Amino acid sequence: MTYLFDTSAFIAWWHEIYPVGIFQDVAKLIENDIEEQIIQSPVEVRQELEEKVDDPLTKWVKGRPNLFIPTQPELQGSIANISNRFPGILKKPSKVNADPVVIALAQSNGAIIVTQENPNKQNNIVACCRSISINCISLPQYIGQRQALLNDIRAELWGNK
């Protein structure tokens, strides 16, 4: 199974829900899943993250080029259709709009989208995914799905299960 992280998932992981300096086990889980290509993101997510120039997360993503996959030309039609059907997901005035690319990529390869956008809000990636039947989960739900590996990581880090 592949998980596609959107921009909000990385920000929530790094800064809000599981800060890297505190939750070493979650950081190691995410690093493992990136190395195994279980977590991926389109390059547009990296570009959105890079808009925050002085952020340590930006430096971290720059060191993980294998995490970000180029947008294939054959996805352009799907990206345009998603953007036209759900114009509210386009961020303004951002130069980069990763959400339609994340959705189109998940639609093409059956990946699960991981996001921290509000599931009760209209015009966001969660509402769009719900409308077109794409599996979209939160960061805590992703961690729950990866619990077995997380338990192994905790045992390795702290010597117990």
Side-chain angles (χ1 to χ4, degrees), residues 49-81:
L49 290 167
E50 288 174 348
E51 288 178 353
K52 302 168 189 337
V53 179
D54 291 329
D55 189 335
L57 175 57
T58 302
K59 293 177 182 138
W60 180 85
V61 298
K62 285 180 179 179
R64 280 142 191 89
N66 296 348
L67 167 59
F68 300 100
I69 52 178
T71 303
Q72 300 301 314
E74 59 269 15
L75 285 181
Q76 293 306 319
S78 293
I79 293 167
N81 287 339

mmCIF file of all heavy atoms in Angstrom, residues 49-81:
data_model
loop_
_atom_site.group_PDB
_atom_site.id
_atom_site.type_symbol
_atom_site.label_atom_id
_atom_site.label_comp_id
_atom_site.label_asym_id
_atom_site.label_seq_id
_atom_site.Cartn_x
_atom_site.Cartn_y
_atom_site.Cartn_z
ATOM 1 N N LEU A 49 6.004 23.168 0.456
ATOM 2 C CA LEU A 49 6.785 23.203 1.693
ATOM 3 C C LEU A 49 7.957 24.166 1.584
ATOM 4 O O LEU A 49 8.320 24.830 2.555
ATOM 5 C CB LEU A 49 7.267 21.801 2.061
ATOM 6 C CG LEU A 49 6.179 20.828 2.512
ATOM 7 C CD1 LEU A 49 6.716 19.402 2.549
ATOM 8 C CD2 LEU A 49 5.612 21.231 3.862
ATOM 9 N N GLU A 50 8.557 24.250 0.410
ATOM 10 C CA GLU A 50 9.708 25.122 0.206
ATOM 11 C C GLU A 50 9.334 26.598 0.221
ATOM 12 O O GLU A 50 10.204 27.456 0.338
ATOM 13 C CB GLU A 50 10.442 24.766 -1.081
ATOM 14 C CG GLU A 50 11.199 23.463 -0.970
ATOM 15 C CD GLU A 50 11.832 23.001 -2.275
ATOM 16 O OE1 GLU A 50 11.517 23.564 -3.351
ATOM 17 O OE2 GLU A 50 12.640 22.063 -2.211
ATOM 18 N N GLU A 51 8.042 26.907 0.122
ATOM 19 C CA GLU A 51 7.614 28.306 0.234
ATOM 20 C C GLU A 51 7.890 28.844 1.635
ATOM 21 O O GLU A 51 7.931 30.041 1.843
ATOM 22 C CB GLU A 51 6.130 28.446 -0.118
ATOM 23 C CG GLU A 51 5.857 28.264 -1.599
ATOM 24 C CD GLU A 51 4.380 28.360 -1.952
ATOM 25 O OE1 GLU A 51 3.531 28.441 -1.050
ATOM 26 O OE2 GLU A 51 4.087 28.362 -3.156
ATOM 27 N N LYS A 52 8.062 27.950 2.615
ATOM 28 C CA LYS A 52 8.393 28.332 3.988
ATOM 29 C C LYS A 52 9.918 28.224 4.134
ATOM 30 O O LYS A 52 10.426 27.244 4.654
ATOM 31 C CB LYS A 52 7.669 27.415 4.975
ATOM 32 C CG LYS A 52 6.167 27.441 4.809
ATOM 33 C CD LYS A 52 5.535 26.332 5.590
ATOM 34 C CE LYS A 52 4.088 26.125 5.352
ATOM 35 N NZ LYS A 52 3.249 27.146 4.856
ATOM 36 N N VAL A 53 10.627 29.214 3.662
ATOM 37 C CA VAL A 53 12.068 29.160 3.466
ATOM 38 C C VAL A 53 12.871 28.790 4.710
ATOM 39 O O VAL A 53 13.756 27.952 4.655
ATOM 40 C CB VAL A 53 12.567 30.504 2.881
ATOM 41 C CG1 VAL A 53 14.075 30.483 2.691
ATOM 42 C CG2 VAL A 53 11.884 30.786 1.561
ATOM 43 N N ASP A 54 12.599 29.392 5.849
ATOM 44 C CA ASP A 54 13.436 29.185 7.030
ATOM 45 C C ASP A 54 12.971 28.051 7.926
ATOM 46 O O ASP A 54 13.455 27.893 9.035
ATOM 47 C CB ASP A 54 13.507 30.485 7.845
ATOM 48 C CG ASP A 54 14.280 31.551 7.114
ATOM 49 O OD1 ASP A 54 15.191 31.197 6.357
ATOM 50 O OD2 ASP A 54 13.965 32.741 7.289
ATOM 51 N N ASP A 55 12.058 27.262 7.480
ATOM 52 C CA ASP A 55 11.488 26.195 8.283
ATOM 53 C C ASP A 55 12.424 24.978 8.275
ATOM 54 O O ASP A 55 12.883 24.551 7.214
ATOM 55 C CB ASP A 55 10.125 25.830 7.690
ATOM 56 C CG ASP A 55 9.333 24.892 8.545
ATOM 57 O OD1 ASP A 55 9.923 24.145 9.343
ATOM 58 O OD2 ASP A 55 8.101 24.890 8.406
ATOM 59 N N PRO A 56 12.707 24.370 9.449
ATOM 60 C CA PRO A 56 13.536 23.156 9.480
ATOM 61 C C PRO A 56 12.927 22.007 8.658
ATOM 62 O O PRO A 56 13.659 21.189 8.130
ATOM 63 C CB PRO A 56 13.590 22.787 10.962
ATOM 64 C CG PRO A 56 13.243 24.025 11.696
ATOM 65 C CD PRO A 56 12.367 24.838 10.793
ATOM 66 N N LEU A 57 11.614 21.965 8.556
ATOM 67 C CA LEU A 57 10.968 20.945 7.724
ATOM 68 C C LEU A 57 11.402 21.089 6.269
ATOM 69 O O LEU A 57 11.630 20.095 5.586
ATOM 70 C CB LEU A 57 9.444 21.042 7.856
ATOM 71 C CG LEU A 57 8.607 20.130 6.964
ATOM 72 C CD1 LEU A 57 8.957 18.665 7.167
ATOM 73 C CD2 LEU A 57 7.108 20.371 7.208
ATOM 74 N N THR A 58 11.543 22.309 5.810
ATOM 75 C CA THR A 58 11.987 22.548 4.436
ATOM 76 C C THR A 58 13.379 21.965 4.213
ATOM 77 O O THR A 58 13.630 21.312 3.198
ATOM 78 C CB THR A 58 12.000 24.058 4.126
ATOM 79 O OG1 THR A 58 10.688 24.575 4.344
ATOM 80 C CG2 THR A 58 12.412 24.330 2.702
ATOM 81 N N LYS A 59 14.254 22.159 5.178
ATOM 82 C CA LYS A 59 15.599 21.577 5.065
ATOM 83 C C LYS A 59 15.528 20.055 5.057
ATOM 84 O O LYS A 59 16.256 19.387 4.330
ATOM 85 C CB LYS A 59 16.482 22.081 6.210
ATOM 86 C CG LYS A 59 16.768 23.556 6.112
ATOM 87 C CD LYS A 59 17.580 24.054 7.280
ATOM 88 C CE LYS A 59 17.769 25.552 7.115
ATOM 89 N NZ LYS A 59 17.609 26.292 8.316
ATOM 90 N N TRP A 60 14.636 19.502 5.890
ATOM 91 C CA TRP A 60 14.480 18.048 5.964
ATOM 92 C C TRP A 60 14.003 17.488 4.624
ATOM 93 O O TRP A 60 14.550 16.498 4.141
ATOM 94 C CB TRP A 60 13.502 17.684 7.087
ATOM 95 C CG TRP A 60 13.268 16.225 7.242
ATOM 96 C CD1 TRP A 60 14.028 15.347 7.963
ATOM 97 C CD2 TRP A 60 12.212 15.454 6.678
ATOM 98 N NE1 TRP A 60 13.497 14.073 7.873
ATOM 99 C CE2 TRP A 60 12.368 14.128 7.087
ATOM 100 C CE3 TRP A 60 11.125 15.777 5.856
ATOM 101 C CZ2 TRP A 60 11.509 13.104 6.704
ATOM 102 C CZ3 TRP A 60 10.261 14.763 5.474
ATOM 103 C CH2 TRP A 60 10.461 13.448 5.903
ATOM 104 N N VAL A 61 12.996 18.103 4.000
ATOM 105 C CA VAL A 61 12.485 17.560 2.735
ATOM 106 C C VAL A 61 13.505 17.670 1.615
ATOM 107 O O VAL A 61 13.560 16.797 0.746
ATOM 108 C CB VAL A 61 11.132 18.192 2.305
ATOM 109 C CG1 VAL A 61 10.051 17.921 3.307
ATOM 110 C CG2 VAL A 61 11.244 19.654 1.999
ATOM 111 N N LYS A 62 14.325 18.709 1.654
ATOM 112 C CA LYS A 62 15.358 18.855 0.621
ATOM 113 C C LYS A 62 16.347 17.697 0.658
ATOM 114 O O LYS A 62 16.941 17.344 -0.352
ATOM 115 C CB LYS A 62 16.090 20.181 0.764
ATOM 116 C CG LYS A 62 15.266 21.354 0.294
ATOM 117 C CD LYS A 62 16.017 22.655 0.437
ATOM 118 C CE LYS A 62 15.170 23.805 -0.068
ATOM 119 N NZ LYS A 62 15.827 25.090 0.051
ATOM 120 N N GLY A 63 16.503 17.067 1.824
ATOM 121 C CA GLY A 63 17.402 15.932 1.964
ATOM 122 C C GLY A 63 16.768 14.594 1.605
ATOM 123 O O GLY A 63 17.396 13.556 1.794
ATOM 124 N N ARG A 64 15.541 14.615 1.100
ATOM 125 C CA ARG A 64 14.833 13.377 0.748
ATOM 126 C C ARG A 64 14.262 13.433 -0.661
ATOM 127 O O ARG A 64 13.051 13.425 -0.861
ATOM 128 C CB ARG A 64 13.722 13.102 1.760
ATOM 129 C CG ARG A 64 14.308 12.482 3.009
ATOM 130 C CD ARG A 64 13.661 12.976 4.260
ATOM 131 N NE ARG A 64 14.452 12.539 5.412
ATOM 132 C CZ ARG A 64 15.455 13.242 5.909
ATOM 133 N NH1 ARG A 64 15.818 14.374 5.383
ATOM 134 N NH2 ARG A 64 16.122 12.795 6.952
ATOM 135 N N PRO A 65 15.143 13.499 -1.650
ATOM 136 C CA PRO A 65 14.642 13.608 -3.029
ATOM 137 C C PRO A 65 13.835 12.393 -3.486
ATOM 138 O O PRO A 65 12.972 12.517 -4.355
ATOM 139 C CB PRO A 65 15.920 13.776 -3.864
ATOM 140 C CG PRO A 65 17.012 13.231 -3.004
ATOM 141 C CD PRO A 65 16.592 13.459 -1.579
ATOM 142 N N ASN A 66 14.082 11.218 -2.892
ATOM 143 C CA ASN A 66 13.350 10.016 -3.303
ATOM 144 C C ASN A 66 11.896 10.038 -2.850
ATOM 145 O O ASN A 66 11.073 9.272 -3.354
ATOM 146 C CB ASN A 66 14.015 8.759 -2.739
ATOM 147 C CG ASN A 66 15.398 8.563 -3.299
ATOM 148 O OD1 ASN A 66 15.792 9.220 -4.254
ATOM 149 N ND2 ASN A 66 16.154 7.672 -2.691
ATOM 150 N N LEU A 67 11.577 10.894 -1.900
ATOM 151 C CA LEU A 67 10.216 11.000 -1.397
ATOM 152 C C LEU A 67 9.281 11.603 -2.442
ATOM 153 O O LEU A 67 8.115 11.235 -2.545
ATOM 154 C CB LEU A 67 10.224 11.864 -0.124
ATOM 155 C CG LEU A 67 8.906 12.373 0.433
ATOM 156 C CD1 LEU A 67 7.971 11.223 0.778
ATOM 157 C CD2 LEU A 67 9.164 13.220 1.664
ATOM 158 N N PHE A 68 9.794 12.513 -3.233
ATOM 159 C CA PHE A 68 8.952 13.293 -4.143
ATOM 160 C C PHE A 68 9.052 12.767 -5.572
ATOM 161 O O PHE A 68 10.134 12.663 -6.128
ATOM 162 C CB PHE A 68 9.342 14.762 -4.061
ATOM 163 C CG PHE A 68 9.154 15.294 -2.668
ATOM 164 C CD1 PHE A 68 10.236 15.413 -1.807
ATOM 165 C CD2 PHE A 68 7.897 15.616 -2.198
ATOM 166 C CE1 PHE A 68 10.068 15.875 -0.512
ATOM 167 C CE2 PHE A 68 7.715 16.072 -0.900
ATOM 168 C CZ PHE A 68 8.801 16.199 -0.054
ATOM 169 N N ILE A 69 7.891 12.457 -6.108
ATOM 170 C CA ILE A 69 7.845 11.880 -7.450
ATOM 171 C C ILE A 69 7.375 12.937 -8.452
ATOM 172 O O ILE A 69 6.490 13.735 -8.145
ATOM 173 C CB ILE A 69 6.959 10.620 -7.499
ATOM 174 C CG1 ILE A 69 5.587 10.891 -6.917
ATOM 175 C CG2 ILE A 69 7.600 9.476 -6.751
ATOM 176 C CD1 ILE A 69 4.633 9.710 -6.984
ATOM 177 N N PRO A 70 7.985 12.940 -9.635
ATOM 178 C CA PRO A 70 7.588 13.926 -10.644
ATOM 179 C C PRO A 70 6.173 13.640 -11.148
ATOM 180 O O PRO A 70 5.738 12.491 -11.207
ATOM 181 C CB PRO A 70 8.626 13.768 -11.752
ATOM 182 C CG PRO A 70 9.325 12.493 -11.484
ATOM 183 C CD PRO A 70 9.082 12.095 -10.068
ATOM 184 N N THR A 71 5.490 14.697 -11.497
ATOM 185 C CA THR A 71 4.141 14.562 -12.041
ATOM 186 C C THR A 71 4.241 14.127 -13.488
ATOM 187 O O THR A 71 4.877 14.801 -14.299
ATOM 188 C CB THR A 71 3.385 15.897 -11.922
ATOM 189 O OG1 THR A 71 3.384 16.275 -10.545
ATOM 190 C CG2 THR A 71 1.966 15.760 -12.404
ATOM 191 N N GLN A 72 3.625 13.000 -13.770
ATOM 192 C CA GLN A 72 3.675 12.445 -15.114
ATOM 193 C C GLN A 72 2.749 13.216 -16.056
ATOM 194 O O GLN A 72 1.644 13.602 -15.664
ATOM 195 C CB GLN A 72 3.289 10.971 -15.089
ATOM 196 C CG GLN A 72 4.191 10.105 -14.220
ATOM 197 C CD GLN A 72 5.642 10.171 -14.672
ATOM 198 O OE1 GLN A 72 5.955 10.076 -15.842
ATOM 199 N NE2 GLN A 72 6.544 10.364 -13.713
ATOM 200 N N PRO A 73 3.173 13.420 -17.296
ATOM 201 C CA PRO A 73 2.336 14.169 -18.250
ATOM 202 C C PRO A 73 0.931 13.576 -18.423
ATOM 203 O O PRO A 73 -0.031 14.310 -18.612
ATOM 204 C CB PRO A 73 3.131 14.085 -19.562
ATOM 205 C CG PRO A 73 4.531 13.816 -19.155
ATOM 206 C CD PRO A 73 4.460 13.034 -17.877
ATOM 207 N N GLU A 74 0.817 12.256 -18.311
ATOM 208 C CA GLU A 74 -0.494 11.633 -18.497
ATOM 209 C C GLU A 74 -1.495 11.987 -17.390
ATOM 210 O O GLU A 74 -2.692 11.747 -17.524
ATOM 211 C CB GLU A 74 -0.390 10.113 -18.653
ATOM 212 C CG GLU A 74 0.253 9.384 -17.510
ATOM 213 C CD GLU A 74 1.761 9.203 -17.639
ATOM 214 O OE1 GLU A 74 2.398 9.873 -18.480
ATOM 215 O OE2 GLU A 74 2.302 8.389 -16.876
ATOM 216 N N LEU A 75 -1.017 12.571 -16.295
ATOM 217 C CA LEU A 75 -1.914 13.001 -15.217
ATOM 218 C C LEU A 75 -2.500 14.391 -15.454
ATOM 219 O O LEU A 75 -3.427 14.796 -14.744
ATOM 220 C CB LEU A 75 -1.185 13.004 -13.875
ATOM 221 C CG LEU A 75 -0.900 11.667 -13.214
ATOM 222 C CD1 LEU A 75 -0.196 11.873 -11.883
ATOM 223 C CD2 LEU A 75 -2.176 10.881 -13.004
ATOM 224 N N GLN A 76 -1.976 15.120 -16.417
ATOM 225 C CA GLN A 76 -2.398 16.509 -16.616
ATOM 226 C C GLN A 76 -3.904 16.641 -16.852
ATOM 227 O O GLN A 76 -4.542 17.556 -16.340
ATOM 228 C CB GLN A 76 -1.612 17.162 -17.757
ATOM 229 C CG GLN A 76 -0.140 17.346 -17.461
ATOM 230 C CD GLN A 76 0.122 18.110 -16.165
ATOM 231 O OE1 GLN A 76 -0.540 19.081 -15.837
ATOM 232 N NE2 GLN A 76 1.121 17.645 -15.412
ATOM 233 N N GLY A 77 -4.492 15.724 -17.609
ATOM 234 C CA GLY A 77 -5.936 15.768 -17.855
ATOM 235 C C GLY A 77 -6.726 15.579 -16.573
ATOM 236 O O GLY A 77 -7.689 16.312 -16.317
ATOM 237 N N SER A 78 -6.308 14.624 -15.742
ATOM 238 C CA SER A 78 -6.983 14.391 -14.460
ATOM 239 C C SER A 78 -6.817 15.577 -13.525
ATOM 240 O O SER A 78 -7.762 15.964 -12.823
ATOM 241 C CB SER A 78 -6.421 13.136 -13.777
ATOM 242 O OG SER A 78 -6.738 11.994 -14.508
ATOM 243 N N ILE A 79 -5.625 16.158 -13.502
ATOM 244 C CA ILE A 79 -5.373 17.327 -12.649
ATOM 245 C C ILE A 79 -6.285 18.478 -13.069
ATOM 246 O O ILE A 79 -6.907 19.135 -12.223
ATOM 247 C CB ILE A 79 -3.889 17.729 -12.707
ATOM 248 C CG1 ILE A 79 -3.022 16.650 -12.078
ATOM 249 C CG2 ILE A 79 -3.662 19.085 -12.023
ATOM 250 C CD1 ILE A 79 -1.535 16.788 -12.364
ATOM 251 N N ALA A 80 -6.396 18.706 -14.365
ATOM 252 C CA ALA A 80 -7.265 19.778 -14.868
ATOM 253 C C ALA A 80 -8.727 19.502 -14.532
ATOM 254 O O ALA A 80 -9.455 20.411 -14.100
ATOM 255 C CB ALA A 80 -7.076 19.937 -16.374
ATOM 256 N N ASN A 81 -9.167 18.246 -14.698
ATOM 257 C CA ASN A 81 -10.558 17.897 -14.375
ATOM 258 C C ASN A 81 -10.853 18.124 -12.898
ATOM 259 O O ASN A 81 -11.909 18.657 -12.537
ATOM 260 C CB ASN A 81 -10.851 16.443 -14.746
ATOM 261 C CG ASN A 81 -10.948 16.225 -16.238
ATOM 262 O OD1 ASN A 81 -11.181 17.159 -16.988
ATOM 263 N ND2 ASN A 81 -10.759 14.989 -16.668
#
